Amino acid sequence: MRPAQTIIRPVDRDGHVIRDDEQIEFLTFGDVGLLCSGRRRSDVPQITIQIAQHTDGLFMWAIDAMVGTGYRGYRVGSKWGKFAPTRQDAIAAACTEIEAQGPDRNVIDWLDSLCAPQQMELFA
């Protein structure tokens, strides 16, 4: 579990998700070899964290994760009711969600690097 301050609201079935990729920060790890028309492709990220700022200033997160043989994913948006007061809290919450799926050590190391204190925070 990674410490993160979050604000969870009820899911709004008719709520908004962000369709404009320009409004989303994407953090990606690895790639997955997928078959497409009989040919192997490996340009699909294994893990994607989406971070976006809501109009009220809070941050939202979403994940797309291929862990083992399972997949879990959704598009970032207020629809899901997942908010955090800071970008770093949103990243930590997304990392906790991914870690709960039991990823391998390489993914855990990447999640740890995303949640490590920034250099300036060490001296604050």
Side-chain angles (χ1 to χ4, degrees):
M1 183 95 173
R2 298 167 191 287
Q5 185 178 13
T6 59
I7 302 161
I8 305 299
R9 298 177 181 155
V11 172
D12 177 359
R13 294 169 92 91
D14 299 318
H16 176 71
V17 295
I18 299 174
R19 298 280 179 213
D20 181 0
D21 286 351
E22 296 285 322
Q23 297 176 10
I24 302 171
E25 175 184 4
F26 293 93
L27 306 170
T28 60
F29 175 83
D31 57 42
V32 177
L34 297 178
L35 288 177
C36 183
S37 300
R39 300 178 68 191
R40 173 87 56 213
R41 288 184 31 192
S42 62
D43 58 352
V44 178
Q46 176 184 356
I47 309 276
T48 301
I49 295 174
Q50 301 170 30
I51 303 294
Q53 195 165 18
H54 191 262
T55 56
D56 63 7
L58 295 174
F59 287 82
M60 305 172 289
W61 72 91
I63 65 167
D64 282 309
M66 296 280 283
V67 177
T69 59
Y71 169 79
R72 177 171 177 179
Y74 53 97
R75 188 91 177 166
V76 68
S78 59
K79 172 179 187 158
W80 307 114
K82 296 179 177 187
F83 298 93
T86 68
R87 175 184 171 274
Q88 196 57 40
D89 282 328
I91 290 170
C95 289
T96 296
E97 233 179 279
I98 294 165
E99 192 167 20
Q101 296 181 45
D104 66 27
R105 184 76 239 166
N106 291 332
V107 173
I108 296 291
D109 290 345
W110 178 67
L111 298 174
D112 287 344
S113 74
L114 292 177
C115 295
Q118 301 299 315
Q119 191 66 26
M120 293 308 292
E121 291 174 352
L122 296 173
F123 301 101

